[in-house]
C-alpha cells in the first residue's frame, strides 16, 4: 500500500506540472489504474484464502469484488456469515474460518491471511436480483434468487445483509450490470439464430 500511495503521489504531481494535454490524459489514466491496485491486491489475498473449490476457475471468469455479509437462506431467521465473491459469470459463497491470532515478533505483528471454506456457487444465468427487501428499514439488504434448471420451479433465496447502504448499492449495481450484459448477449444470440 505504501508503494501504491507513493506512486499515486508522483503521478498526481506529474499531472499538476505537465504542460501537454495529451500527457495529462495519459497520466490521469495511469492514476486511475494505480488507484485500483490496492483493491485488486486485497481481492487476490481473499481469493487465495478460499479452500475446497474443485471447479474450473475459468468457468467463473475474472474476480470483480468480494465482501463479507450476513446471509439469510430461504427465509431463515438466523443469518450466517459468508464471504461472497462475484465473478464475471458466477457468484460464489464461502464460510469464513475463525480468525487466528496475529504472529508476534519483536518488531511487528503479522496478521495471518484470511481463510474461507467453499460452500456453493451459481452461474449468473440462474440468478435473479431483488434490489429492495421488505422490512429492511436500514436499506442494507438485497436478495438473490437462484432458479435451478434441473428442477421445475425450484428456487433458492438468499437475503444478503451488508455492513452499509454504500456496500449494498455497490453490489446491487455490479450485479444489475452483469445481469443486463448477460441478457444483452443472450438477446443478440437469439436474434442471430432467428436470421
Amino acid at each position: 500500500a505504501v508503494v501504491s500511495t507513493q506512486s499515486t503521489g508522483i503521478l498526481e504531481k506529474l499531472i499538476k506540472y505537465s504542460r501537454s494535454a495529451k500527457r495529462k490524459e495519459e497520466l490521469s489514466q495511469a492514476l486511475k489504474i494505480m488507484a485500483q491496485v490496492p483493491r485488486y491486491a486485497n481481492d487476490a489475498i481473499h481469493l487465495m484464502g478460499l479452500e475446497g473449490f474443485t471447479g474450473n476457475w475459468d468457468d467463473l471468469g475474472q474476480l470483480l469484488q468480494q465482501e463479507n455479509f450476513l446471509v439469510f437462506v430461504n427465509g431463515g431467521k438466523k443469518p450466517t456469515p459468508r464471504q461472497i465473491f462475484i465473478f464475471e459469470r458466477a457468484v460464489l459463497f464461502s464460510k469464513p474460518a475463525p480468525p487466528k491470532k496475529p504472529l508476534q515478533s519483536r518488531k511487528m505483528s503479522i496478521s495471518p491471511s484470511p481463510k474461507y471454506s467453499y460452500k456453493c456457487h451459481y452461474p449468473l444465468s440462474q440468478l435473479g436480483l431483488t434490489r429492495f427487501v421488505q422490512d429492511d428499514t436500514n436499506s442494507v439488504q438485497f436478495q438473490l434468487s437462484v432458479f435451478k434448471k434441473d428442477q421445475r420451479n425450484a428456487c433458492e433465496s438468499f437475503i444478503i445483509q451488508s455492513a452499509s447502504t454504500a456496500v449494498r448499492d455497490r453490489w446491487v449495481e455490479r450485479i444489475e450490470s452483469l445481469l443486463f450484459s448477460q441478457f444483452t448477449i443472450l438477446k443478440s444470440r437469439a436474434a442471430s439464430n432467428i436470421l
Side-chain angles (χ1 to χ4, degrees), residues 86-102:
I86 187 161
F87 295 86
E88 290 173 311
R89 294 183 290 279
V91 173
L92 185 145
F93 292 79
S94 65
K95 179 181 178 181
K100 294 182 178 179
K101 291 184 179 180

Side-chain angles (χ1 to χ4, degrees), residues 8-141:
T8 301
I10 291 170
L11 286 170
E12 287 170 344
K13 286 181 182 178
L14 287 170
I15 291 168
K16 181 179 178 180
Y17 295 110
S18 180
R19 293 186 178 152
S20 163
K22 182 180 177 188
R23 175 66 70 192
K24 282 186 178 188
E25 179 60 32
E26 290 170 347
L27 291 169
S28 294
Q29 291 293 359
L31 183 61
K32 286 179 186 177
I33 292 168
M34 286 305 299
Q36 297 297 319
V37 169
R39 184 181 64 83
Y40 288 139
N42 185 48
D43 287 349
I45 288 168
H46 284 274
L47 189 58
M48 288 184 332
L50 182 64
E51 298 171 347
F53 177 71
T54 58
N56 184 345
W57 290 106
D58 292 334
D59 291 344
L60 305 178
Q62 179 182 348
L63 174 63
L64 301 174
Q65 34 189 91
Q66 54 76 34
E67 195 86 38
N68 194 357
F69 294 98
L70 291 176
V71 177
F72 299 85
V73 180
N74 293 327
K77 300 295 180 202
K78 184 178 179 188
T80 54
R82 291 288 181 257
Q83 189 75 14
I84 302 177
F85 297 85
I86 187 161
F87 295 86
E88 290 173 311
R89 294 183 290 279
V91 173
L92 185 145
F93 292 79
S94 65
K95 179 181 178 181
K100 294 182 178 179
K101 291 184 179 180
L103 302 172
Q104 299 291 330
S105 73
R106 290 182 187 171
K107 295 184 180 181
M108 70 172 112
S109 173
I110 302 170
S111 296
S113 296
K115 296 288 181 196
Y116 308 103
S117 299
Y118 168 80
K119 298 307 275 181
C120 59
H121 76 282
Y122 302 99
L124 289 175
S125 61
Q126 294 180 3
L127 291 181
L129 172 69
T130 304
R131 181 180 264 277
F132 299 103
V133 175
Q134 188 174 0
D135 300 326
D136 177 21
T137 56
N138 296 323
S139 298
V140 294
Q141 296 178 340

Side-chain angles (χ1 to χ4, degrees), residues 187-195:
K187 186 177 172 183
S188 75
R189 283 185 191 162
S192 66
N193 288 339
I194 293 172
L195 300 174

